[in-house]
Structure formats: C-alpha cells, structure tokens
Amino acid sequence: MERDEVYVPKTREDLRIPDEAHGHTIDYDEYLGDTPLYTLFMLMRQQVLAFPAYLLFNVSGQKTYPKWTNHFDPNSILFTKAQRNAVILSNIGIAFMVWAVTYGCSTFGTANVIKYYGIPWLEVSHWFIMITYLHHTSPELPHYRGKEWNFQRGAAATVDRNFLGWQGRFFLHDVAHYHVIHHFFPKMPFYHGPEATQHLKAFIGDHYAYSDKPVFKALWESYNKCQFVENEGDVLFYRDRNGQAARRPADQYRVKDTKAQ
C-alpha cells in the first residue's frame, strides 16, 4: 500500500464507511450503491480522464506524496536526480506539441484537429488506462502493508491478461500478455516475455496470476468488485459493493477482531 505508485486502493476510512467490528452491520448500498447507468458513466469517465488526471494531479497515485505531486515537475518526488533532465526534455516536447496543436487548429480548423488528433489521442489514452488498470486491479490480487511487503511480493501482485488475443500481442507488443515478468525484470526486452514467463511461472507457482476473461467483462467486474480495502491488516484484498472479498488473508495475517476479515 505504501509502495504502490498508481491505482492505490481506497480504504474503508477513505470512503467513510464504518467498521463492522463488534457486530455493527453496515448497509453498504448507502455508501456504494449506484445504478448501472451511472456506474457505466463513471467507468467511461475514468477511461477518458484518468491518465491526464494522474499525470497532472497524481489522482489514484500514492497518497503519502506531497499535495501538488505531478509528472511535470523535474524536482518531483516521483523522479530521481538522474531523471531530472529527461523530465525537462519531456516538458519541452509537450510544449512543442501544444504549439503544434494550436497551429494546426488555426491552419486546418479545430474540427479537423479533433478528428485526426484529438479522438485518436483519447482512444490511445483509453487503451493505456484500461491495460494498466486491469494489470493492477483485481479482487484476486493481494496488497501489502509495512513489513509484509517485499520486492518479490510486490512484483507478483499483478496479473497477465489475454488482451484482445493475437491482436493484442501483435499491436501492443505483448504488454498485457506478459506483464508480470515486466514487474520482475523491467528492463527486459518485450520479445523475451513469452520465454521468461514460462520460467517465472515454474519458479513462483501459484503466486503467478493469469486471467483469460474477456477484457471488457473483466473491466466491468473489477470496477464493481474492487471498491476498498480494510483500514487494518498487512495483507489485504479488495472488497466489493456489498463489503465482501473474493479472497481473504491466511489466518496468521487476519485482523482477529474485525468481522469483515
């Protein structure tokens, strides 16, 4: 929880949901109940706006970071000193694109720029958000606090997905199919992913997570089932709109006096 950089789970306290301890029953519908149409609208909003919101305002990012954390400040806590010049160059490139888009609007018309640049950009943003969200958000994946976190556990807390079959493999260079291995070896070239994943699966066994569920179905289910985690405990799983978890920690990691655990 303290080491996650994005899609950091909200806690029960974040959503102002009382604890269920000591026989206190919660009407979760009062806190999380929405119509399917509104849920769909919020999901579509996430798919369109989440990436720029994360870059600009650290939305869904690590909550312990300073208030104005963003991806454009070369001195941000997000970057090392060695990355400072790269951030500056990136900002120069973004400023150039802002000028180019503005110039394009005045030369070719705003409608044409939206048609040939704006809409494709939103589609790319949607795919990027959907892929990264589904990699790191699942009711089956554990989240760790404090001493229970280590690099190996954190790296394994993601899921490989059969994203659009052969089209996903070809056009997205296996980014979704072999993401777990990327967590363990982030500098590995993508074309080694299939072979390396087989060795990783043999080594970590049941700790390897894979899903062949259709990705749009998985997106809907994850958005509804991954609502919050408990305030306490060092090994956590998401809870759904009814306060139920798909998995629970082993007995030695459970918070004994919490009914919900």
Side-chain angles (χ1 to χ4, degrees):
M1 294 286 288
E2 301 91 349
R3 299 275 186 160
D4 284 343
E5 292 291 339
V6 69
Y7 302 120
V8 180
K10 289 184 172 65
T11 64
R12 183 183 289 270
E13 183 179 9
D14 291 335
L15 299 180
R16 299 180 181 179
I17 302 174
D19 194 78
E20 287 191 14
H22 311 300
H24 184 65
T25 302
I26 304 299
D27 182 3
Y28 285 97
D29 201 48
E30 290 290 326
Y31 297 92
L32 303 172
D34 287 318
T35 65
L37 187 61
Y38 181 76
T39 301
L40 179 61
F41 167 75
M42 295 300 290
L43 177 57
M44 293 176 65
R45 187 188 73 161
Q46 181 216 51
Q47 293 297 297
V48 173
L49 299 177
F51 186 45
Y54 171 61
L55 296 179
L56 287 165
F57 308 112
N58 196 40
V59 173
S60 84
Q62 181 53 245
K63 292 177 284 187
T64 61
Y65 288 166
K67 183 177 181 180
W68 300 108
T69 296
N70 63 78
H71 285 70
F72 304 99
D73 178 5
N75 300 312
S76 171
I77 192 173
L78 294 168
F79 308 116
T80 65
K81 291 183 179 179
Q83 295 170 324
R84 186 175 185 276
N85 289 338
V87 177
I88 293 173
L89 288 174
S90 175
N91 289 342
I92 293 172
I94 292 171
F96 173 78
M97 281 305 302
V98 171
W99 173 84
V101 170
T102 303
Y103 178 79
C105 290
S106 62
T107 304
F108 306 107
T110 301
N112 281 325
V113 172
I114 292 174
K115 179 180 179 180
Y116 293 109
Y117 179 78
I119 294 177
W121 185 90
L122 287 175
E123 291 177 346
V124 171
S125 180
H126 153 64
W127 286 120
F128 185 79
I129 295 163
M130 183 174 177
I131 291 170
T132 54
Y133 178 75
L134 287 178
H135 277 154
H136 304 101
T137 308
S138 168
E140 304 291 331
L141 291 178
H143 295 268
Y144 303 98
R145 283 195 180 106
K147 60 182 178 60
E148 295 302 333
W149 182 93
N150 59 41
F151 175 81
Q152 292 80 7
R153 279 182 162 182
T158 186
V159 55
D160 283 347
R161 295 186 182 274
N162 184 14
F163 201 96
L164 302 182
W166 70 267
Q167 299 172 81
R169 293 199 60 187
F170 181 80
F171 291 107
L172 302 176
H173 304 295
D174 287 333
V175 67
H177 288 71
Y178 304 109
H179 188 72
V180 178
I181 194 69
H182 166 73
H183 273 211
F184 281 90
F185 306 102
K187 294 185 178 181
M188 176 185 293
F190 76 91
Y191 45 80
H192 289 317
E195 179 184 1
T197 295
Q198 296 307 311
H199 294 290
L200 180 68
K201 287 168 61 178
F203 186 72
I204 67 175
D206 292 341
H207 297 286
Y208 171 78
Y210 173 80
S211 173
D212 59 359
K213 185 176 294 183
V215 289
F216 285 100
K217 180 179 180 181
L219 179 63
W220 178 257
E221 288 187 358
S222 291
Y223 192 75
N224 282 280
K225 292 183 177 180
C226 299
Q227 294 294 311
F228 67 94
V229 297
E230 291 297 333
N231 298 325
E232 300 178 351
D234 293 330
V235 180
L236 309 161
F237 291 93
Y238 265 117
R239 296 188 176 276
D240 62 16
R241 295 181 184 275
N242 297 314
Q244 301 297 314
R247 297 178 66 186
R248 72 178 190 182
D251 287 344
Q252 64 267 34
Y253 300 115
R254 296 179 66 190
V255 179
K256 302 299 183 181
D257 61 348
T258 302
K259 177 183 175 183
Q261 284 282 15

